[in-house]
Amino acid sequence: MFKARRAVQIISFAIFIFLLYATSYPLRVVPGDLDIFMRLSSLQMFATWLNTGHFISKFIPAIVVIFLSIIFGRFFCGWICPMGTTLDLTDSLIHAPRLNVPNRNRFKKVKYILLIIILVAAYFEANLAGWFDPLSIITRTVVQVFLPSFEFITRLLLSGMTPIPLLGTLAVDARSFLRTTIFSLQQPVFHGMAAVLLFFLFTVILSTYNRRFWCRFLCPLGAVNAVISKFSIFRKHVDQSKCIKCGRCVRNCKMGAISESCVDDFKGECIECFTCVRVCPTKALSFNPGLNSGSSTIPVNMSRRTFLVSSAMGLAAVPIAR
């Protein structure tokens, strides 16, 4: 299943990039489903619902994700989300620390606070979801930074190869092919590229503190998926007769979803990556349907005071957002 997840991540990310390229002028494909990834966001769905007062049928794909999350848990974050896939890649490149320090778990409630702020602001017709939704963030980053930079560098290299004998002909043919099949008619340039890049780099740098820091502590869409996944049918099971408390599952969990006891977990934090199953030396872990998981759930401490303060912050954000 671990390899299957990697394959799904690669295919999903490739589709994501293809759809973004397909939005370049002139449109070479039917534009109906080019925004399918944005319509998978339950955060955007709920925020739009609160903002407009009615459900928009364009968000039916988000309903499908919610239904599948009730069955399989928080799979979207670990299998489909292009932001999660990107952070998995950057985490492996920067060698983020593998130790999950217990006191860092207190930050898990931050994403729920941010979710409350976004939904309260949305009810009063202020859109914050587009700023913090991971699908929006990764879309802005790829469209405004990476794809234009890739086009610029590729055009520059091909132009530089043009005077070279033999390679020049190949470069001209390659440039013509890219211009008619992939690249836009003109080199795209966006205002605010630096700001978008800096925000993305900030989320990557946070991973030096903990792997998938954004997903663990800040992502409001992850908070929605975590709440839904608490009721999932398919979940991690621990055979305590086999568990030797070696701590490998704790150290290797991307989301810090397993407590130091190696048994108890933070329900809703697991993204079904199956890393714990792969590293367990005694095969004490498995993922199966059933309510009895052999472990207890550690709740995220969200007090009434925290909820009220978060709601007040959402109200305060309304005039600023407008």
Side-chain angles (χ1 to χ4, degrees):
M1 291 297 291
F2 182 82
K3 292 182 178 180
R5 171 180 165 269
R6 284 291 175 85
V8 172
Q9 278 188 304
I10 293 172
I11 294 172
S12 176
F13 193 79
I15 294 173
F16 173 71
I17 297 297
F18 168 77
L19 293 178
L20 292 183
Y21 256 122
T23 60
S24 299
Y25 178 82
L27 288 175
R28 300 183 179 92
V29 296
V30 179
D33 294 322
L34 294 181
D35 60 345
I36 183 64
F37 273 87
M38 296 303 300
R39 294 190 283 122
L40 291 172
S41 173
S42 52
L43 174 66
Q44 295 277 15
M45 181 194 71
F46 286 124
T48 304
W49 198 342
L50 289 171
N51 198 307
T52 62
H54 61 273
F55 175 76
I56 297 178
S57 59
K58 276 282 188 178
F59 283 108
I60 289 179
I63 295 293
V64 175
V65 172
I66 290 175
F67 174 75
L68 293 176
S69 297
I70 295 175
I71 299 175
F72 298 109
R74 194 176 162 183
F75 79 98
F76 181 82
C77 302
W79 291 62
I80 307 296
C81 179
M83 184 70 168
T85 301
T86 303
L87 291 179
D88 276 346
L89 176 61
T90 55
D91 285 356
S92 63
L93 293 177
I94 64 178
H95 302 290
R98 294 181 176 272
L99 182 61
N100 300 316
V101 179
N103 62 11
R104 294 179 185 174
N105 291 326
R106 69 178 183 270
F107 298 125
K108 290 183 182 295
K109 66 180 180 182
V110 175
K111 60 178 176 288
Y112 296 99
I113 294 174
L114 186 56
L115 173 62
I116 294 171
I117 293 173
I118 291 172
L119 295 182
V120 170
Y123 181 78
F124 291 97
E125 301 182 355
N127 181 19
L128 296 177
W131 290 96
F132 296 101
D133 185 278
L135 298 178
S136 297
I137 293 172
I138 193 62
T139 297
R140 282 197 301 270
T141 304
V142 173
V143 170
Q144 296 186 23
V145 179
F146 291 125
L147 293 187
S149 300
F150 173 72
E151 285 197 25
F152 175 76
I153 293 173
T154 303
R155 292 173 191 265
L156 189 65
L157 290 175
L158 292 177
S159 297
M161 293 169 57
T162 302
I164 303 175
L166 184 60
L167 288 180
T169 304
L170 296 176
V172 171
D173 293 340
R175 185 168 57 182
S176 176
F177 171 77
L178 292 174
R179 183 179 298 173
T180 56
T181 58
I182 298 178
F183 289 170
S184 53
L185 292 179
Q186 294 181 335
Q187 168 64 46
V189 179
F190 295 91
H191 292 292
M193 289 177 63
V196 174
L197 177 60
L198 287 175
F199 185 83
F200 174 75
L201 292 178
F202 174 70
T203 62
V204 172
I205 292 172
L206 285 174
S207 295
T208 60
Y209 185 71
N210 252 158
R211 285 176 300 177
R212 274 200 178 220
F213 187 99
W214 168 264
C215 307
R216 287 194 192 199
F217 306 121
L218 300 177
C219 181
L221 176 58
V224 175
N225 292 334
V227 171
I228 297 170
S229 298
K230 289 181 180 180
F231 307 98
S232 64
I233 299 172
F234 188 82
R235 60 181 63 189
K236 178 174 68 69
H237 291 259
V238 182
D239 187 343
Q240 297 196 36
S241 64
K242 294 182 179 180
C243 181
I244 59 175
K245 307 293 190 301
C246 64
R248 291 187 183 181
C249 57
V250 179
R251 292 190 297 271
N252 288 276
C253 181
K254 297 176 182 292
M255 295 294 292
I258 307 172
S259 73
E260 293 295 305
S261 69
C262 302
V263 177
D264 301 332
D265 53 25
F266 295 88
K267 186 60 179 170
E269 296 298 314
C270 177
I271 58 173
E272 321 292 334
C273 68
F274 301 107
T275 301
C276 57
V277 176
R278 184 171 63 92
V279 301
C280 181
T282 61
K283 307 302 178 185
L285 300 176
S286 62
F287 281 79
N288 300 295
L291 299 178
N292 183 16
S293 62
S295 61
S296 59
T297 299
I298 302 174
V300 176
N301 183 22
M302 281 290 292
S303 63
R304 181 182 300 178
R305 178 181 179 182
T306 302
F307 177 82
L308 293 175
V309 171
S310 302
S311 301
M313 292 173 66
L315 286 172
V318 172
I320 299 174
R322 287 184 172 181

